[in-house]
Amino acid sequence: LQSLVATVLLPRVFAASCAALPEVDVEGAVDPSRVRWYGDSQGGILGITVAALSPDLERAVLGVGGISY
């Protein structure tokens, strides 16, 4: 449960403290107002829960959820 809470809150922390760093935002590539999830394999499994819990997530692409399980 703690890892899901951390994953859901990570975009807010990133937007508040990391997005403006020149090392991170190269040529305006980072837009913290547009939060997405792309997950294959384990990311596809976790993405279902993260997409359901995150109020900030706009879209999610889930592919091949745990194909080798």
Side-chain angles (χ1 to χ4, degrees):
L1 181 61
Q2 181 61 44
S3 64
L4 287 173
V5 172
T7 302
V8 168
L9 293 178
L10 183 62
R12 291 183 184 193
V13 172
F14 182 81
S17 43
C18 298
L21 294 173
E23 298 87 359
V24 175
D25 192 10
V26 179
E27 297 180 13
V30 176
D31 183 358
S33 68
R34 298 174 68 189
V35 179
R36 309 291 204 286
W37 178 279
Y38 178 84
D40 281 328
S41 193
Q42 188 70 27
I45 294 170
L46 293 175
I48 295 169
T49 306
V50 172
L53 294 176
S54 178
D56 301 319
L57 194 62
E58 289 182 8
R59 292 182 173 91
V61 176
L62 309 172
V64 194
I67 194 167
S68 62
Y69 283 88

